[in-house]
């Protein structure tokens, strides 16, 4: 999968394991991710998906921290959560929101199969053990889109590794090394409303 990585991602990583500030950053990141993906949805479908996406993305931050704890890099841990989201989008028939084509679902799953299996995550159950006890808000599916999927925001051909676009636009396979001095104040929601 092709993702971006900049100073805000490193700051978010650090903040998500820091008491108090982590909750603020997590809330902001959930809002940002919901907004980003709703912008990819048909305007008439956005509001009916909002609560579901809020709940889903909130749960994926537990996955993110678990992946970091398991030794995955920041880029890999974040990619894992994006793969979970794409499983969910596919299951709902929300193909217009997907970041990679549906025919690459199994390839992305296979790359992290050991982690996914350890946590009960599958294409059919994208959250596995990270599914919150209080549940996830329902949202209407559009299964008819799976018959003739439209993937206007998907980038295929990146299923073999994590591809990271840095702040200068360079594509780095596997991601970048973490900077030594990461300032938590750079994380979304700490001081300003910057992009994550």
């Amino acid at each position: 999968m092709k993702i971006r990585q900049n100073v805000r991602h490193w700051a978010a990583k650090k903040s998500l394991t820091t008491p108090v500030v982590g909750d603020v950053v997590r809330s902001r990141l959930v809002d940002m991710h919901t907004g980003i993906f709703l912008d990819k949805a048909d305007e008439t479908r956005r509001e009916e998906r909002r609560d579901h996406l809020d709940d889903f993305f909130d749960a994926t931050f537990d996955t993110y921290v678990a992946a970091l704890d398991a030794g995955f890099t920041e880029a890999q841990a974040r990619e894992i959560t994006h793969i979970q989201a794409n499983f969910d989008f596919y299951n709902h028939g929300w193909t217009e929101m997907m970041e990679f084509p549906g025919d690459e679902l199994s390839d992305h799953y296979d790359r992290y199969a050991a982690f996914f299996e350890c946590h009960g995550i599958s294409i059919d159950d994208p959250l596995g053990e990270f599914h919150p006890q209080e549940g996830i808000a329902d949202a209407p599916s559009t299964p008819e889109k799976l018959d003739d999927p439209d993937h206007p925001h998907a980038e295929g051909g990146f299923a073999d590794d994590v591809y990271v676009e840095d702040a200068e636009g360079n594509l780095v396979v596997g991601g970048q090394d973490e900077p030594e001095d990461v300032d938590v104040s750079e994380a979304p929601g700490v001081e300003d409303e910057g992009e994550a």
Side-chain angles (χ1 to χ4, degrees):
M1 175 183 272
K2 186 176 170 186
I3 60 176
R4 291 177 307 171
Q5 190 174 51
N6 58 43
V7 66
R8 290 196 169 275
H9 295 108
W10 296 113
K13 174 192 175 216
K14 186 173 182 179
S15 69
L16 287 169
T17 55
T18 302
V20 183
V21 71
D23 292 337
V24 172
V25 171
R26 183 175 177 142
S27 177
R28 177 65 180 129
L29 287 171
V30 168
D31 290 346
M32 288 175 62
H33 282 81
T34 295
I36 288 166
F37 285 99
L38 284 181
D39 284 347
K40 296 178 181 185
D42 185 291
E43 192 171 346
T44 62
R45 297 286 189 175
R46 291 176 184 168
E47 286 312 308
E48 68 187 21
R49 297 177 184 178
R50 184 177 300 279
D51 290 344
H52 175 84
L53 292 176
D54 281 347
D55 290 347
F56 190 90
F57 288 131
D58 187 57
T60 65
F61 286 105
D62 291 331
T63 307
Y64 176 78
V65 172
L68 292 172
D69 289 345
F72 289 99
T73 66
E74 192 283 328
Q76 291 169 328
R78 191 155 38 90
E79 183 184 41
I80 285 170
T81 67
H82 280 253
I83 292 169
Q84 287 179 288
N86 281 267
F87 291 166
D88 188 62
F89 300 161
Y90 180 81
N91 292 338
H92 282 86
W94 299 344
T95 60
E96 76 279 12
M97 294 167 60
M98 292 180 68
E99 297 172 284
F100 53 82
D103 61 4
E104 292 185 2
L105 287 169
S106 294
D107 294 331
H108 284 285
Y109 178 87
D110 291 345
R111 288 186 35 240
Y112 296 107
F115 177 83
F116 288 149
E117 289 169 8
C118 181
H119 295 286
I121 295 168
S122 66
I123 294 172
D124 294 333
D125 184 6
L127 290 176
E129 71 180 35
F130 299 105
H131 197 281
Q133 287 186 332
E134 62 275 15
I136 298 269
D138 289 329
S141 296
T142 54
E144 66 279 3
K145 291 192 173 184
L146 294 175
D147 295 332
D148 185 20
D150 180 25
H151 299 300
H153 303 287
E155 289 194 65
F158 295 97
D160 64 322
D161 208 326
V162 58
Y163 291 80
V164 176
E165 185 177 325
D166 65 19
E168 287 76 43
N170 301 311
L171 200 59
V172 181
V173 179
Q176 306 171 81
D177 293 330
E178 185 166 358
E180 288 185 20
D181 298 318
V182 177
D183 186 352
V184 174
S185 70
E186 293 288 331
V190 176
E191 286 191 356
D192 58 46
E193 299 294 316
E195 180 183 339

